[in-house]
Amino acid sequence: RPPRSTLFPYTTLFRSGATVISGVSDPDASITVTLTNSQNTPIVITTTADNNGIWTTSSDISSLTDGIIQVDVLAEISGNSGIASTTILKDTEVSSTSINEPITSDNEVNADEIDSVPLSGNAEPDSTISLIVSDGTTTVGPITVPVGPNGIWISTVNMSMLSDGPATVTVEETDVAGNVGLPEIGRAHV
């Protein structure tokens, strides 16, 4: 009879290079785990199931590109083999974040607009934006803004506590995997 080969459920988003993979097979089965990215670059790891059939291994996947990684597990014992497969998503970077400018139609926040200034931009779908508006002395925020599934974020900010003059709008994105992007800066005049 072929040995059983089962992968334990685990998160499918990996940020760091070290990835732990585990599962269950027959006791003392030889386990071969192959991780393959979209460029067909394989990483092969071998281990042995313990006397309860539980196995765990880890690998540094930093050499594999971000994206879908195929995980194939081969369990072998007494000339018989069993297989299990799944996919994981390696995500180590934030894509570009943007602020739509001009902030207002003329990039001047006037008395009619100052209590409710619309700000928007683009980011990775379902990520989170940290939004800060500052005149160099006074700061509004940080304000947490969710990014929609379409990759658009929208917020309305009260800038009435800022002094007249130039203001900066800074956004920093945290994606679903927890990666933090570089700050993006926009400018307006209050």
Side-chain angles (χ1 to χ4, degrees):
R1 133 186 118 68
R4 60 191 165 129
S5 183
T6 306
L7 288 163
F8 286 139
Y10 49 89
T11 183
T12 58
L13 293 171
F14 292 94
R15 291 179 49 206
S16 66
T19 302
V20 175
I21 299 171
S22 56
V24 175
S25 184
D26 286 358
D28 303 315
S30 295
I31 306 296
T32 302
V33 179
T34 304
L35 301 142
T36 309
N37 65 2
S38 61
Q39 285 76 37
N40 292 319
T41 304
I43 293 177
V44 179
I45 312 134
T46 58
T47 191
T48 303
D50 67 16
N51 59 2
N52 294 313
I54 297 171
W55 58 268
T56 299
T57 188
S58 65
S59 178
D60 180 353
I61 63 170
S62 60
S63 65
L64 299 179
T65 56
D66 276 15
I68 301 295
I69 296 175
Q70 177 71 34
V71 180
D72 296 309
V73 177
L74 173 66
E76 296 178 295
I77 193 166
S78 302
N80 295 310
S81 61
I83 59 170
S85 296
T86 191
T87 58
I88 58 175
L89 176 63
K90 180 183 175 194
D91 181 358
T92 61
E93 298 179 350
V94 172
S95 66
S96 62
T97 306
S98 69
I99 302 170
N100 293 333
E101 291 187 86
I103 301 298
T104 60
S105 60
D106 59 1
N107 219 33
E108 295 282 333
V109 178
N110 63 40
D112 293 334
E113 301 164 327
I114 201 157
D115 292 332
S116 184
V117 180
L119 300 172
S120 63
N122 295 294
E124 283 185 27
D126 302 316
S127 60
T128 303
I129 296 294
S130 176
L131 169 66
I132 297 173
V133 182
S134 177
D135 63 11
T137 304
T138 305
T139 299
V140 177
I143 301 166
T144 301
V145 183
V147 179
N150 59 357
I152 296 173
W153 62 268
I154 299 171
S155 183
T156 303
V157 178
N158 182 342
M159 295 186 187
S160 63
M161 64 183 61
L162 300 179
S163 299
D164 288 350
T168 58
V169 176
T170 306
V171 296
E172 187 175 81
E173 176 183 356
T174 302
D175 72 8
V176 177
N179 301 306
V180 178
L182 296 173
E184 180 72 22
I185 299 174
R187 305 206 185 287
H189 196 271
V190 178

